[in-house]
């Protein structure tokens, strides 16, 4: 066969394929009676087409990736103008643009081009652009915006991959994602949830793949949605020809060992580790290896600080950090591995994936498959213990894990050892070689999630109402447990690494988005359980503000809108295209005991109590006298499940409406006169 003739046939095939693809797209446009077209016309805006074209080009020892974004957006309503008539670029895109063209096609047939020089004005020479959200001028309902821009990235060979979803906030008649590269590589891809098969063309000059979907519904996402859990998506990677698929042995040898194997380059600091370990273990040298491990782990938790990773410390030994009395997220992984191996505690390498990123794949190991690497081991009772390395702002206890991987699958990988580990298998020395396992065993485990009985936030306030001074002082107990404890303590850690306990309630206010109605001025005690569910208890004193109004010497008004502030699951809609994937189910209890100087009478509503329960959660409100001069207010909010089906979201809305009803109540308390 003539090679030139064969090449021409491949080029002809490429042209024919492109023509067929264009024809199929054109047929979507002209079908005006289609229900999807009617849906598009009813929406605030829609795409007639939305294309993202990716080109990988070889550059020196790496690659250059060009991303071309081409859209044709029809604006239907004034809200469509307000929400979508913008040029939106993130900081990276705005600083790596190669070209940009934006124009508005007016309903009367005129065209208005966007002057990009107005968008990209530099106030200071050499200063980088930030995120850009620039309003496209002269857009009105009925107009169409055509946009194309190209930006580039420089990548190494391990970064030639992506997860592809063809969904956006708006409906689209046709959405495409294409990949073009040189033919000296292999394109591997796997589709999920019914993602359509691509059109692939490979010849002597290029490798081209087109992923396309017609009639793509618009999906508005929120923080609780998991698009890869439900909707079609695709993963692809570009590899050198002849490259084998990754195995868990490869992942263990190349990735786990890279981030966890300790260094042994500085002998002096390396030997300090041994002295430190002997000192901490002390008289417990004859105890079990698990008891010794707990001693060492507790010493780090209680007396060492965490900070960000520093470039100049990347190859320092554990002894170096022990002497500095601090660790960073990388060195703590290496330290944990070192003490596990020193104590001859068998462990697994654990790989996890954030729950809302979609399930982890056991058999087809994608690049970027996992975003959590930690340890697991069995204690003397043969119970599996999880050991998650600290972050620069938060220290995890044994069995404490990030809430983002609650109730998700993890992969446990253990090297198969036929003999005792040698020193070269434990440390990275001057040859900078990583240890290698000949084979590994793997198993899949479901992480615990804990329920609303374990994940809770309880706040109990006992207050004295002083009518003469028009002041309400209180003592309080604030208790958090389970996932709520981990989330709030880590949030607080991000706000203030010094962890001044008197600032704790400032963090609580930011976390819940509430004002300072419960104003703590003194913390009297705090305790944290080191065991699951990590209950954290704070006792304090302070003043109630804004919630109690002194009308006169015998009448007091109570505003529940100020007093009740739950950590509610935000949901203002009756329907959604996606389910809600929460980190955990939880309960939030607020209880107030208000003691008055005289006997009291409750004026106003006779039926104060509320109660609602359904399959997803419950809410109860109770207000009553518990003594002649004491009022009890109890508000209890619960979300019972971490997966809320989209068709059941109305149940969450009903619970939230009950809370709103309770907060809308206002009570007047009458103080009875003291008998003479």
């Amino acid at each position: 066969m003539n090679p030139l003739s064969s090449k021409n046939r491949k080029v002809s095939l490429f042209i024919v394929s492109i023509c067929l693809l264009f024809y199929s797209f054109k047929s979507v446009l002209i079908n005006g009676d289609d229900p999807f077209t009617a849906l598009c016309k009813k929406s605030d805006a829609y795409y007639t087409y939305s294309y993202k074209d990716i080109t990988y080009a070889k550059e020196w020892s790496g690659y250059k990736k060009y991303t071309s974004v081409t859209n044709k957006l029809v604006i239907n309503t004034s809200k469509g103008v307000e929400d979508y008539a913008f040029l939106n670029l993130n900081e990276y895109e705005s600083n790596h643009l190669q070209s940009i063209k934006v124009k508005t096609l007016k309903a009367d047939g005129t065209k208005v081009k966007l002057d990009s020089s107005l968008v990209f004005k530099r106030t200071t020479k050499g200063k980088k652009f930030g995120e850009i959200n620039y309003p496209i001028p002269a857009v009105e309902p009925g107009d169409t915006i055509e946009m194309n821009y190209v930006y580039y990235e420089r990548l190494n060979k391990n970064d030639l991959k992506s997860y592809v979803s063809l969904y956006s906030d708006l409906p689209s008649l046709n959405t495409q994602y294409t990949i073009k590269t040189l033919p000296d590589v292999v394109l591997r891809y796997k589709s999920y949830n019914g993602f359509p098969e691509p059109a692939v063309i490979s010849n002597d000059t290029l490798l081209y793949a087109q992923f396309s979907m017609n009639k793509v519904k618009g999906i508005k996402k929120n923080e609780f949605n998991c698009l890869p859990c439900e909707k079609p998506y695709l993963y692809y990677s570009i590899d050198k020809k002849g490259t084998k698929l990754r195995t868990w042995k490869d992942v263990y040898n190349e990735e786990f060992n890279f981030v966890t194997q300790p260094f042994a380059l500085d002998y002096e600091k390396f030997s300090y580790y041994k002295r430190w370990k002997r000192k901490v273990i002390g008289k417990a040298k004859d105890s079990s290896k698990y008891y010794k491990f707990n001693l060492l782990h507790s010493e780090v938790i209680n007396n060492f600080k965490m900070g960000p990773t520093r470039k100049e410390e990347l190859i320092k030994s554990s002894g170096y950090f022990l002497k500095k009395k601090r660790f960073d997220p990388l060195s703590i992984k290496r330290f944990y591995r070192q003490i596990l191996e020193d104590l001859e505690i068998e462990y697994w390498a654990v790989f996890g994936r954030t729950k809302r990123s979609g399930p982890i794949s056991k058999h087809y190991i994608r690049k970027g498959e996992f975003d959590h690497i930690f340890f697991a081991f069995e204690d003397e009772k043969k119970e599996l213990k999880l050991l998650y390395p600290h972050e620069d702002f938060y220290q995890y206890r044994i069995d404490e894990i990030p809430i983002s991987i609650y109730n998700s699958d993890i992969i446990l990988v253990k090297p198969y050892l036929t003999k005792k580990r040698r020193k070269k298998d434990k440390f990275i020395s001057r040859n900078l070689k990583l240890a290698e396992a000949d084979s590994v065993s793997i198993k899949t485990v479901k992480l615990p999630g804990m329920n609303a009985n374990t994940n809770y936030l309880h706040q109990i306030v006992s207050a004295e109402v002083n009518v003469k001074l028009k002041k309400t002082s209180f003592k309080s107990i604030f208790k958090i447990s389970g996932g709520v404890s981990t989330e709030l303590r880590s949030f607080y850690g991000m706000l203030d690494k010094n962890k001044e306990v008197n600032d704790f309630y400032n963090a609580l206010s930011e976390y819940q988005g509430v004002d300072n109605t419960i104003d703590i001025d003194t913390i009297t005690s705090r305790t944290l359980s080191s065991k699951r569910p990590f209950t954290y208890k704070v006792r304090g004193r302070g003043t109630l503000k804004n919630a109690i109004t002194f009308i006169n010497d015998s009448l007091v008004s109570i505003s529940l809108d100020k007093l009740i502030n739950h950590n509610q699951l935000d949901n203002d809609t009756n329907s959604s295209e996606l389910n809600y994937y929460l980190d955990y189910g939880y309960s939030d209890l607020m209880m107030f005991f208000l003691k008055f100087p005289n006997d009291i009478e409750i004026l106003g509503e006779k039926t104060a109590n509320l109660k609602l329960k359904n399959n997803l959660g419950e809410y109860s409100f109770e207000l009553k006298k518990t003594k002649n001069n004491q009022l009890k207010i109890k508000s209890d909010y619960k979300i019972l499940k971490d997966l809320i089906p989209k068709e059941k979201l109305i149940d969450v809305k009903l619970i939230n409406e009950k809370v709103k009803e309770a907060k809308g109540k206002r009570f007047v308390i009458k103080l009875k006169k003291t008998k003479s």
Side-chain angles (χ1 to χ4, degrees):
M1 181 183 290
N2 188 318
L4 182 61
S5 173
S6 175
K7 183 176 180 180
N8 287 339
R9 283 186 183 181
K10 289 177 181 177
V11 172
S12 299
L13 178 61
F14 175 76
I15 294 171
V16 169
S17 299
I18 294 296
C19 291
L20 288 172
L21 290 169
F22 175 76
Y23 178 78
S24 65
F25 163 59
K26 185 176 179 182
S27 67
V28 175
L29 286 179
I30 61 177
N31 190 358
D33 297 329
D34 184 73
F36 186 81
T37 305
L39 182 148
C40 289
K41 291 179 178 179
K42 288 180 181 178
S43 64
D44 295 318
Y46 70 93
Y47 293 107
T48 55
Y49 57 79
S50 179
Y51 302 152
K52 183 176 281 190
D53 302 306
I54 308 297
T55 302
Y56 292 100
K58 197 80 174 68
E59 183 185 62
W60 300 102
S61 59
Y63 286 82
K64 202 169 185 179
K65 175 184 176 182
Y66 296 92
T67 301
S68 173
V69 178
T70 306
N71 297 323
K72 188 171 184 179
L73 179 65
V74 178
I75 304 293
N76 288 330
T77 66
S78 297
K79 191 174 187 305
V81 176
E82 294 171 3
D83 293 347
Y84 303 109
F86 288 86
L87 171 63
N88 296 314
L89 300 172
N90 62 38
E91 184 176 345
Y92 185 90
E93 292 167 348
S94 64
N95 286 286
H96 293 82
L97 272 182
Q98 183 163 294
S99 64
I100 184 166
K101 293 179 182 178
V102 180
K103 62 183 177 182
T104 302
L105 308 179
K106 304 291 293 177
D108 61 8
T110 58
K111 298 179 182 180
V112 180
K113 291 185 179 180
L114 173 67
D115 185 354
S116 59
S117 65
L118 299 175
V119 182
F120 298 95
K121 280 185 177 180
R122 292 190 188 274
T123 54
T124 305
K125 189 176 180 180
K127 185 179 179 180
K128 288 187 175 182
F129 296 111
E131 181 179 324
I132 290 175
N133 303 103
Y134 191 85
I136 299 172
V139 179
E140 299 173 292
D143 294 347
T144 299
I145 301 170
E146 288 186 347
M147 181 183 302
N148 171 259
Y149 60 90
V150 181
Y151 65 93
Y152 64 90
E153 303 170 71
R154 287 187 169 86
L155 305 173
N156 63 47
K157 63 179 182 179
N158 295 319
D159 294 326
L160 308 183
K161 60 180 174 57
S162 189
Y163 291 84
V164 179
S165 170
L166 300 182
Y167 288 91
S168 70
D169 287 356
L170 296 172
S172 173
L173 292 172
N174 178 259
T175 301
Q176 296 180 12
Y177 186 102
T178 68
I179 303 166
K180 185 170 69 172
T181 186
L182 295 174
D184 58 344
V185 293
V186 59
L187 172 67
R188 292 190 171 109
Y189 65 88
K190 183 173 175 61
S191 58
Y192 299 84
N193 303 331
F195 194 93
E197 286 296 305
V200 179
I201 298 165
S202 178
N203 58 36
D204 297 339
T205 59
L206 63 79
L207 172 62
Y208 179 88
Q210 182 196 65
F211 307 95
S212 178
M213 287 175 62
N214 294 328
K215 303 177 183 179
V216 184
K217 293 181 71 173
I219 295 180
K220 292 185 178 179
K221 303 183 292 293
N222 63 37
E223 60 178 313
F224 303 116
N225 295 147
C226 174
L227 197 65
C229 296
E230 301 176 50
K231 296 298 181 182
Y233 76 99
L234 174 129
Y235 166 81
Y236 76 85
S237 66
I238 294 175
D239 301 297
K240 187 178 179 180
K241 282 185 176 179
T243 303
K244 294 182 179 179
L245 288 172
R246 291 202 309 167
T247 65
W248 285 110
K249 186 183 86 169
D250 298 329
V251 171
Y252 182 90
N253 286 337
E254 297 166 12
E255 299 187 45
F256 180 75
N257 282 344
F258 181 76
V259 297
T260 66
Q261 194 172 349
F263 279 88
L265 299 178
D266 47 349
Y267 178 77
E268 180 186 349
K269 303 295 188 302
F270 177 73
S271 61
Y272 181 83
Y273 161 83
K274 295 181 179 179
R275 298 197 300 273
W276 173 84
K277 189 179 74 168
R278 283 198 302 268
K279 181 181 177 182
V280 173
I281 293 174
K283 295 180 180 180
K285 61 181 180 179
D286 295 325
S287 302
S288 74
K289 56 188 176 182
Y290 304 104
Y291 183 81
K292 292 176 184 176
F293 176 83
N294 286 330
L295 284 177
L296 298 172
H297 185 267
S298 297
E299 175 69 15
V300 171
I301 284 278
N302 296 328
N303 298 308
F304 283 68
K305 292 182 178 180
M306 288 295 297
T309 303
R310 302 177 186 180
K311 192 175 181 180
E312 64 273 16
E313 296 178 341
L314 288 175
I315 60 172
K316 295 295 185 181
S317 68
S318 295
Y320 171 89
F321 293 98
L322 290 169
K323 204 163 189 177
K324 295 283 186 181
K325 295 190 78 69
R326 62 172 170 82
F327 282 98
D328 58 53
L330 183 59
S331 61
I332 194 69
K333 289 186 179 78
R334 292 170 174 165
F335 170 72
Y336 279 169
R337 176 167 172 170
Q338 187 169 351
I339 60 175
L340 285 168
E341 293 184 355
D342 269 5
L343 295 172
E344 298 185 355
I345 297 175
E346 290 192 10
Y347 63 88
W348 285 273
V350 184
F351 301 92
R353 182 175 175 83
T354 297
K355 184 164 62 175
R356 284 189 285 268
S357 297
I360 194 168
S361 176
K362 179 180 178 180
H363 302 291
Y364 183 63
I365 309 165
R366 305 166 291 194
K367 296 175 183 176
E369 180 66 50
F370 43 85
D371 49 5
H372 296 268
I373 298 177
F374 52 110
F375 304 87
F377 63 92
E378 286 184 346
D379 64 10
E380 59 265 39
K381 298 177 182 178
K382 298 299 179 183
E383 294 178 353
L384 187 69
K385 312 300 286 185
L386 302 174
L387 181 63
Y388 199 95
H390 306 324
E391 297 168 348
D392 59 358
F393 57 86
Y394 189 71
Q395 293 180 312
Y396 290 93
R397 269 57 184 174
I398 294 173
D399 271 343
E400 188 175 22
I401 56 176
I403 60 173
S404 62
I405 54 175
Y406 274 20
N407 201 22
S408 66
D409 287 337
I410 53 172
I411 307 296
L412 274 61
V413 181
K414 181 187 284 187
Y416 180 71
L417 300 175
T418 56
K419 54 187 176 181
K420 191 175 179 179
R421 294 179 192 268
R422 297 165 297 178
K423 182 176 179 180
K424 72 174 186 176
D425 296 325
K426 293 183 178 182
F427 301 100
I428 300 174
S429 57
R430 297 193 180 278
N431 61 14
L432 299 181
K433 285 187 177 181
L434 297 172
E436 287 191 9
D438 294 329
S439 61
V440 297
S441 62
I442 65 170
K443 63 179 179 178
T444 304
V445 172
K446 173 79 76 173
L447 284 172
M450 296 192 278
N451 56 37
N453 294 324
T454 306
N455 301 313
Y456 62 77
L457 185 155
H458 290 175
Q459 192 156 4
I460 302 172
V461 175
S462 181
E464 296 270 354
V465 180
N466 191 319
V467 179
K468 288 184 179 180
L469 297 178
K470 293 181 169 50
K471 182 180 179 181
T472 305
S473 302
F474 68 81
K475 294 180 180 179
S476 70
I477 301 174
F478 179 79
K479 189 162 68 169
I480 51 178
S481 173
V484 183
S485 174
T486 298
E487 183 174 18
L488 190 50
R489 282 162 40 233
S490 63
F491 179 79
Y492 177 60
M494 284 190 289
L495 291 181
D496 185 357
K497 292 183 181 180
N498 293 325
K499 296 181 173 61
E500 293 293 337
V501 74
N502 285 326
D503 291 337
F504 183 84
Y505 274 85
N506 292 335
L508 174 63
S509 296
E510 290 199 42
Y511 173 75
Q512 291 187 311
V514 301
D515 59 19
N516 62 341
T517 297
I518 303 174
D519 187 17
I520 299 285
D521 53 47
T522 304
I523 298 295
T524 56
S525 70
R526 62 169 180 148
T527 57
L528 171 64
S529 171
S530 61
K531 295 184 178 180
R532 209 164 168 262
F534 316 105
T535 303
Y536 188 42
K537 187 186 295 184
V538 180
R539 295 178 183 269
R541 293 195 299 264
T543 307
L544 282 181
K545 296 181 177 180
N546 307 320
I548 297 178
T549 304
F550 298 90
I551 300 172
N552 56 39
D553 291 343
S554 62
L555 293 176
V556 174
S557 172
I558 298 176
S559 172
L560 296 177
D561 182 51
K562 294 291 185 181
L563 210 55
I564 298 174
N565 281 293
H566 287 298
N567 183 29
Q568 292 175 239
L569 175 58
D570 188 22
N571 178 45
D572 295 326
T573 181
N574 292 336
S575 61
S576 170
E577 284 292 325
L578 301 170
N579 300 326
Y580 275 33
Y581 297 80
L582 310 184
D583 294 316
Y584 49 77
Y586 64 95
S587 66
D588 183 355
L589 170 68
M590 303 188 78
M591 194 178 301
F592 299 87
F593 295 93
L594 304 180
K595 187 177 181 181
F596 294 85
N598 300 352
D599 291 353
I600 60 173
E601 178 185 353
I602 303 172
L603 306 179
E605 299 185 45
K606 299 298 182 183
T607 55
N609 297 348
L610 298 171
K611 192 167 186 178
L612 174 68
K613 183 175 182 179
N614 55 43
N615 290 330
L616 296 181
E618 59 186 85
Y619 177 70
S620 63
F621 172 81
E622 179 185 14
L623 183 144
K624 67 177 183 178
K625 283 200 305 181
T626 53
K627 297 178 182 178
N628 288 338
N629 67 334
Q630 182 170 277
L631 185 69
K632 174 187 174 183
I633 301 171
K634 180 182 177 183
S635 184
D636 194 5
Y637 181 91
K638 292 181 181 179
I639 297 295
L640 301 175
K641 298 183 179 180
D642 62 354
L643 174 60
I644 300 179
K646 55 191 175 185
E647 61 273 11
K648 295 290 185 180
L649 285 172
I650 183 63
D651 288 350
V652 177
K653 187 175 182 180
L654 292 173
I655 295 170
N656 288 342
E657 285 176 352
K658 277 296 178 188
V659 178
K660 186 178 180 181
E661 184 180 344
K663 287 166 68 73
K665 291 179 179 292
R666 187 169 180 267
F667 295 91
V668 175
I669 308 301
K670 181 180 179 180
L671 277 68
K672 297 179 180 179
K673 292 182 179 180
T674 306
K675 294 181 180 179
S676 56

